[in-house]
Amino acid sequence: MPTKTGKQTLELRSRPSVAGYAAFVGKKEGEGPLASYFDKIFDDDTLGEATWEKAESLMQKETLNTALQKAGITPDEVDFVFAGDLLNQCIGSTFGLRDFGIPFAGLYGACSTMSLSLGLAAIFVDSGAANCTAAVTSSHFCSAERQFRYPLEYGGQRPPTSQWTVTGAGAVVVASESNGPVIQSVTFGKIVDLGITDSNNMGAAMAPAAADTIKTFFDDTQTQPSDYDLILTGDLGIVGSRLLTELLLWDGIDITGLHNDCGLLIYDLEKQDVHAGGSGCGCSAAVLCSYILSKLKEGSLNNILFCATGALMSPTSSQQGETVPGIAHLVHIMSK
Amino acid sequence: MTNKEYDKLTKKYSKKSPKAKDFILSFLIGGLICAFGQVLFEIYSQMGMRKTTASAVVAVTLIFITVILTGFRIFDKIAKHAGAGTLVPITGFANAVASPAIEFKSEGQVMGVGAKMFTIAGPVLVFGITASAIYGLILWLFRIY
């Protein structure tokens, strides 16, 4: 049963584990430094589909299929699937998972969706409500651009603080018994807003939420940064990562040398023209479900905090002059 | 930390746009487009067109080239470096109409292409036409007195 520790953390005493995982990415991500860890790299970002939205849905479908195959589990054996994406009304997930016949909970956590879905999937298993669950998350550069910004062919300039939405999907199958990495605890974050209004500086908007969740986790569990091998945030990029370090130092917590960010890992920032790094919920999903879980499985990482971060804005709220609130959820994962 | 303090910290860590480079590139590429327009104008004039006709045909030619380059995903790659250099001449307007027309084709001819074509260029038309009407009114008042 999940046990509440401190203010926001749930400890999962039965230690649900990752039975299978998979990550699929687009061409640009496949040219990045993590290429060898992905299950599949699509040469064509349309995936042969007529629309970008269909391409994203297909990516979710294929990713979950592969994760289930790797876990040796059939869709019938999965009790619930938690999934989300960045598109209006979560259509990436709905249409991608439509044919599986698994009870479905659609989530919107902006770019924090991977840790939100994984956290819920693990809690369902730990509580005994399910034997096996799945968490799926995706984003697609082209479907996100047309919804949040400009058409792809529009000739504009991006400021240096802007980030590049990852075309990618990640899926994790969580089971009560397996040989995979173990989910130890989950901290759900609060909505934190320090008044950033620039939607081209998402890292700055999300960093305060990440700092709040990470600090709360340390307080709740009475631990400190040096107890962990890696503190991995979702998509803070260059600007947000620096701000996170500074914000935590302000509270007396030093994560220097232990922190990394999926948005910094997925691309070669020098060569790939992505400005401040990768973003989108597919960013943390694809990095977690390839490189990170593989390192945990082989034992070169043993004890990590995965804290995906989201900017809870929409084009409407931005146009109406609202600030960009942030959210961050943390999942504590250990090797078996 | 207060919002004000955080804003200060954010500014410290946010890299600013390379303005000098942006200005030089937009001046050079924008200038090049205008010079190309002038060359076209001379050619059309040589062909025997009147001045007003030649000017209109130059604009049409630049729009045509922009739309073709937009369709082949070449225009945005140039504009990424050119900035205002491709935005200010008529090329910017042509691209702003053509790009959503291509992008939203998947939502159908009416609600996609038709409705979304002016999402970016629409405000330019609304305020451009309004401004020219006001300008015309002022000119008319001056002429009366």
Side-chain angles (χ1 to χ4, degrees):
Chain A
M1 276 296 277
T3 317
K4 195 172 170 219
T5 309
K7 274 168 74 185
Q8 289 162 238
T9 304
L10 293 171
E11 269 187 37
L12 310 184
R13 294 280 161 83
S14 74
R15 307 183 86 215
S17 59
V18 175
Y21 56 90
F24 282 29
V25 295
K27 189 167 177 277
K28 194 179 180 96
E29 294 68 26
E31 290 163 356
L34 302 184
S36 62
Y37 292 93
F38 299 125
D39 292 270
K40 188 166 182 178
I41 297 162
F42 294 104
D43 286 333
D44 172 10
D45 282 357
T46 67
L47 276 72
E49 294 291 317
T51 70
W52 300 121
E53 289 73 15
K54 280 188 175 153
E56 183 169 350
S57 291
L58 182 62
M59 201 161 56
Q60 278 215 6
K61 185 179 174 179
E62 301 261 309
T63 310
L64 179 58
N65 259 328
T66 306
L68 287 170
Q69 272 169 23
K70 283 165 82 178
I73 289 170
T74 60
D76 297 346
E77 295 172 79
V78 182
D79 296 310
F80 302 100
V81 60
F82 299 88
D85 55 87
L86 294 178
L87 302 181
N88 289 337
Q89 288 79 36
C90 280
I91 55 169
S93 309
T94 314
F95 292 93
L97 305 178
R98 172 171 59 177
D99 299 330
F100 281 94
I102 305 171
F104 165 77
L107 307 172
Y108 187 80
C111 305
S112 73
T113 308
M114 191 65 237
S115 54
L116 175 63
S117 58
L118 179 59
L120 288 168
I123 288 165
F124 261 61
V125 170
D126 186 59
S127 70
N131 259 325
C132 177
T133 54
V136 192
T137 298
S138 71
S139 61
H140 193 302
F141 176 79
C142 303
S143 60
E145 277 301 297
R146 73 203 296 262
Q147 180 179 302
F148 287 98
R149 296 180 192 95
Y150 293 109
L152 291 181
E153 299 81 5
Y154 179 67
Q157 275 181 323
R158 294 160 165 270
T161 53
S162 69
Q163 292 173 246
W164 191 273
T165 306
V166 165
T167 299
V172 180
V173 179
V174 180
S176 47
E177 290 283 334
S178 86
N179 288 322
V182 170
I183 295 154
Q184 194 73 30
S185 55
V186 179
T187 305
F188 289 115
K190 298 193 288 273
I191 300 167
V192 180
D193 192 339
L194 283 185
I196 296 290
T197 48
D198 182 4
S199 59
N200 275 313
N201 199 350
M202 294 294 192
M206 299 184 291
D212 187 79
T213 303
I214 292 169
K215 184 186 179 297
T216 307
F217 174 81
F218 288 138
D219 289 346
D220 287 354
T221 55
Q222 309 268 301
T223 57
Q224 53 190 359
S226 56
D227 295 331
Y228 303 92
D229 299 338
L230 173 69
I231 299 165
L232 182 71
T233 45
D235 55 348
L236 294 180
I238 297 172
V239 182
S241 293
R242 284 179 188 155
L243 286 166
L244 172 70
T245 311
E246 192 91 0
L247 283 166
L248 284 174
L249 266 181
W250 189 281
D251 285 317
I253 299 165
D254 188 4
I255 57 164
T256 324
L258 291 168
H259 171 254
N260 213 327
D261 183 73
C262 298
L264 301 175
L265 287 167
I266 197 162
Y267 296 120
D268 183 331
L269 299 189
E270 298 289 321
K271 293 182 190 146
Q272 288 193 288
D273 189 32
V274 291
H275 296 237
S279 71
C281 47
C283 178
S284 56
V287 174
L288 176 78
C289 300
S290 60
Y291 179 65
I292 299 297
L293 285 174
S294 297
K295 292 278 171 199
L296 280 160
K297 208 173 170 188
E298 67 179 40
S300 50
L301 279 175
N302 288 308
N303 196 6
I304 73 147
L305 303 179
F306 171 65
C307 182
T309 43
L312 299 173
M313 42 77 72
S314 84
T316 308
S317 68
S318 285
Q319 280 162 13
Q320 291 177 352
E322 276 282 6
T323 52
V324 183
I327 186 108
H329 306 296
L330 184 150
V331 182
H332 173 199
I333 313 171
M334 292 177 82
S335 58
K336 186 91 179 176
Chain B
M1 190 177 282
T2 64
N3 288 11
K4 225 175 184 174
E5 285 167 330
Y6 188 62
D7 185 51
K8 221 169 139 187
L9 199 65
T10 301
K11 284 200 177 111
K12 183 178 151 196
Y13 287 119
S14 302
K15 211 169 132 190
K16 290 197 177 63
S17 295
K19 282 204 179 119
K21 188 182 144 211
D22 287 351
F23 284 153
I24 293 168
L25 276 175
S26 61
F27 178 77
L28 288 177
I29 300 174
L32 214 63
I33 293 169
C34 297
F36 176 63
Q38 189 62 38
V39 171
L40 287 176
F41 179 80
E42 296 301 334
I43 294 170
Y44 293 144
S45 303
Q46 289 280 313
M47 286 163 68
M49 283 186 200
R50 268 187 290 167
K51 261 190 173 182
T52 44
T53 317
S55 304
V57 180
V58 167
V60 171
T61 313
L62 286 175
I63 290 169
F64 179 77
I65 295 170
T66 304
V67 172
I68 297 291
L69 291 178
T70 302
F72 282 104
R73 293 287 320 264
I74 298 168
F75 187 87
D76 57 313
K77 291 188 178 74
I78 303 170
K80 195 174 81 180
H81 303 288
T86 44
L87 182 81
V88 175
I90 201 157
T91 46
F93 189 76
N95 168 255
V97 177
S99 57
I102 298 166
E103 184 71 60
F104 293 98
K105 213 180 104 214
S106 55
E107 277 89 310
Q109 295 296 330
V110 178
M111 295 315 286
V113 178
K116 297 278 177 68
M117 191 187 258
F118 292 101
T119 44
I120 305 169
V124 182
L125 290 176
V126 171
F127 296 113
I129 292 166
T130 312
S132 60
I134 294 169
Y135 178 74
L137 188 73
I138 294 168
L139 200 69
W140 178 71
L141 286 171
F142 266 98
R143 290 222 173 123
I144 288 177
Y145 302 105

